[in-house]
Amino acid sequence: MSISQKIRSLHCGFQRGLGFEVIAGENCILIKNVPFELEGIIAKWIDELPIELMSGPVALVKLYPTEGMALTESGWSAFISWMTETLNSAQHEPNFPLKVRQSAKSSAQ
């Protein structure tokens, strides 16, 4: 993991908070500043968004010419809601206890 990845990782760099900033008068987080561990998941989540949520007043994602792609504050909120729902659903899967134990053992090594 590179230093720039560590700085924005949930594990090492999250203490400094999320990298929200105001761009064109809107509070947002650039995709390049989201927690490193979530970057791929967020990219896939964005790919599945309906086109009407990619522009206009209710946009969850915006493309800024010089800064790059960003999640709006509403976009970040929608992603976190989806992620929470997904994690809550996973707890009801029959193999959830086994996956927790396996993951915890792997992390402890």
Side-chain angles (χ1 to χ4, degrees), residues 67-88:
E67 294 88 355
M69 187 177 286
L71 284 174
T72 63
E73 200 166 3
S74 295
W76 178 255
S77 178
F79 172 76
I80 293 299
S81 293
W82 169 81
M83 188 172 67
T84 302
E85 290 170 17
T86 302
L87 292 171
N88 283 333

Side-chain angles (χ1 to χ4, degrees), residues 22-83:
V22 177
I23 302 173
E26 186 162 24
N27 201 24
C28 59
I29 183 168
L30 293 167
I31 300 303
K32 66 182 182 181
N33 293 334
V34 299
F36 172 71
E37 297 89 342
L38 300 177
E39 188 174 27
I41 297 165
I42 289 172
K44 289 177 185 174
W45 181 82
I46 290 170
D47 285 344
E48 298 304 325
L49 290 176
I51 194 73
E52 63 268 16
L53 296 178
M54 301 292 282
S55 63
V58 294
L60 299 181
V61 179
K62 291 196 174 178
L63 181 60
Y64 296 98
T66 56
E67 294 88 355
M69 187 177 286
L71 284 174
T72 63
E73 200 166 3
S74 295
W76 178 255
S77 178
F79 172 76
I80 293 299
S81 293
W82 169 81
M83 188 172 67

